[in-house]
Amino acid sequence: MASRVPTAGGILLVDKPGGLTSHDVVARARRALGTRKIGHAGTLDPMATGLLVLGVEGSTRLLTYLVGLGKTYTATIRLGQTTTTDDAEGDTVAQASPEQLATVSDDAIAGGVAALTGDISQVPSAVSAIKVDGRRAYDRVRAGEEVELAARAVTISRFAVTAIRRGADGVDLDVEVDCSSGTYIRALARDLGAGLGVGGHLTALRRTHVGPFDVVDGASLEALADAALLPPAEVATRVLGRFDATADEARDLRHGKRLAGAAGRVRGERAAAVHPDGRLIGIVEKRGDAVKSVMNMPEVSGDAE
């Protein structure tokens, strides 16, 4: 397969449609761009739509620094019904009575949402992609096994209800959620319903942001072949900040040398080291008063000094 992109590649933003796995999207991108060297910075469930961040060619090395970025979602939660998968793709296992639904006032919803905002402990859905003894949890569930996942600490920095619709079988909430990486919105829907005593599950989910990246800039599947890749230097700088290196410093960083006395030029613990010609050299981090490369981008013709 002959690649149509440069060695350093870039970051491709995709607006994933519903009904496809993240791996399906990666496969489509590989065919469209003529390369197998493509990975993603965090999956989306088949039911979900929205922003999928792909690394292409040498920029797959950047994915490590993108996976942990915060996420923003819009979603619809149905209160009153519990499903086997905590979303609309599962079978309904419990239905709240009209009397129970009547207790779900606007104030009760606000209280339930407040209890799930901030630093919380969350048990992921049993049908998540988390591995248990080397196998995905959802594979074990489909095989009829009982799966119990450990709770994990996550941060919900914003959990806003934008609309409430009441029906005979449930209460639908449109919500917007800003959260840390590793948060399961399905589990948030399940826990909100459980806390209100009526059960709940997710009926729609769309990821709108990953860190500084917006789904409005995502390419459709039909436009992948012509989609512009974000340059590695631009992406790394937006996420980590910028360290401008001289040509001599670029050579030293590529050779694994520390740059003594350069730590003051790095705002955080890490930064994107950028060559005078604008290319990304790699990622550097502070080591005392020095900085050292912890990831170098692939060298291309003209890199050697």
Side-chain angles (χ1 to χ4, degrees), residues 8-14 39 41 52-56 59-63 66 213 227-232 235-236:
I11 296 299
L12 177 61
L13 304 182
V14 181
L52 197 62
V53 178
L54 306 185
V56 182
S59 291
T60 54
R61 299 184 185 187
L62 286 177
L63 295 178
L66 305 182
F213 307 109
L229 299 180
L230 297 178
V235 170

Side-chain angles (χ1 to χ4, degrees), residues 29-129:
R30 286 170 174 167
R31 290 195 296 270
L33 300 180
T35 178
R36 291 201 57 78
K37 197 168 185 182
I38 297 181
H40 61 72
T43 62
L44 278 174
D45 291 336
M47 182 189 84
T49 68
L51 185 58
L52 197 62
V53 178
L54 306 185
V56 182
E57 292 288 352
S59 291
T60 54
R61 299 184 185 187
L62 286 177
L63 295 178
T64 296
Y65 305 96
L66 305 182
V67 168
L69 295 175
K71 314 290 193 300
T72 298
Y73 296 90
T74 59
T76 300
I77 296 170
R78 172 156 294 184
L79 300 174
Q81 294 174 343
T82 303
T83 73
T84 54
T85 58
D86 301 328
D87 63 22
E89 295 188 335
D91 297 326
T92 300
V93 294
Q95 169 68 57
S97 68
E99 292 75 21
Q100 289 174 311
L101 288 174
T103 67
V104 184
S105 65
D106 289 3
D107 287 344
I109 292 170
V113 166
L116 291 170
T117 303
D119 297 328
I120 66 171
S121 180
Q122 182 185 77
V123 177
S125 171
V127 291
S128 69

Side-chain angles (χ1 to χ4, degrees), residues 5-305:
V5 295
T7 302
I11 296 299
L12 177 61
L13 304 182
V14 181
D15 187 351
K16 186 188 92 65
L20 296 178
T21 67
S22 298
H23 182 73
D24 292 334
V25 175
V26 169
R28 296 275 192 98
R30 286 170 174 167
R31 290 195 296 270
L33 300 180
T35 178
R36 291 201 57 78
K37 197 168 185 182
I38 297 181
H40 61 72
T43 62
L44 278 174
D45 291 336
M47 182 189 84
T49 68
L51 185 58
L52 197 62
V53 178
L54 306 185
V56 182
E57 292 288 352
S59 291
T60 54
R61 299 184 185 187
L62 286 177
L63 295 178
T64 296
Y65 305 96
L66 305 182
V67 168
L69 295 175
K71 314 290 193 300
T72 298
Y73 296 90
T74 59
T76 300
I77 296 170
R78 172 156 294 184
L79 300 174
Q81 294 174 343
T82 303
T83 73
T84 54
T85 58
D86 301 328
D87 63 22
E89 295 188 335
D91 297 326
T92 300
V93 294
Q95 169 68 57
S97 68
E99 292 75 21
Q100 289 174 311
L101 288 174
T103 67
V104 184
S105 65
D106 289 3
D107 287 344
I109 292 170
V113 166
L116 291 170
T117 303
D119 297 328
I120 66 171
S121 180
Q122 182 185 77
V123 177
S125 171
V127 291
S128 69
I130 294 173
K131 286 189 176 180
V132 179
D133 296 330
R135 290 177 59 202
R136 301 288 185 188
Y138 56 68
D139 285 333
R140 290 184 174 275
V141 170
R142 289 166 185 163
E145 299 179 30
E146 290 288 332
V147 174
E148 292 186 11
L149 298 175
R152 57 173 60 186
V154 298
T155 300
I156 311 298
S157 52
R158 183 172 68 103
F159 189 177
V161 177
T162 59
I164 300 175
R165 296 181 298 279
R166 299 181 182 276
D169 297 326
V171 180
D172 286 341
L173 309 180
D174 292 337
V175 302
E176 295 179 354
V177 180
D178 295 335
C179 57
S180 61
S181 179
T183 301
Y184 284 86
I185 308 302
R186 280 180 296 164
L188 205 59
R190 176 200 67 204
D191 293 344
L192 178 61
L196 292 170
V198 295
H201 70 278
L202 198 66
T203 62
L205 180 65
R206 180 167 176 77
R207 187 156 69 196
T208 60
H209 291 83
V210 175
F213 307 109
D214 193 317
V215 72
V216 299
D217 299 315
S220 67
L221 290 189
E222 295 73 24
L224 289 180
D226 299 318
L229 299 180
L230 297 178
E234 175 188 333
V235 170
T237 296
R238 288 175 69 181
V239 172
L240 297 171
R242 182 176 175 117
F243 176 89
D244 286 297
T246 66
D248 287 342
E249 288 174 332
R251 180 192 60 239
D252 288 345
L253 288 171
R254 287 197 179 281
H255 292 167
K257 296 181 180 179
R258 299 188 182 205
L259 303 183
R265 292 157 58 191
V266 178
R267 286 188 179 181
E269 287 303 309
R270 292 178 175 172
V274 181
H275 192 279
D277 66 10
R279 285 176 294 159
L280 180 65
I281 302 161
I283 306 301
V284 296
E285 71 177 18
K286 293 178 180 178
R287 300 287 177 88
D289 72 342
V291 298
K292 186 178 186 300
S293 179
V294 292
M295 185 280 284
N296 283 335
M297 292 293 287
E299 291 194 53
V300 296
S301 177
D303 276 353
E305 300 292 341

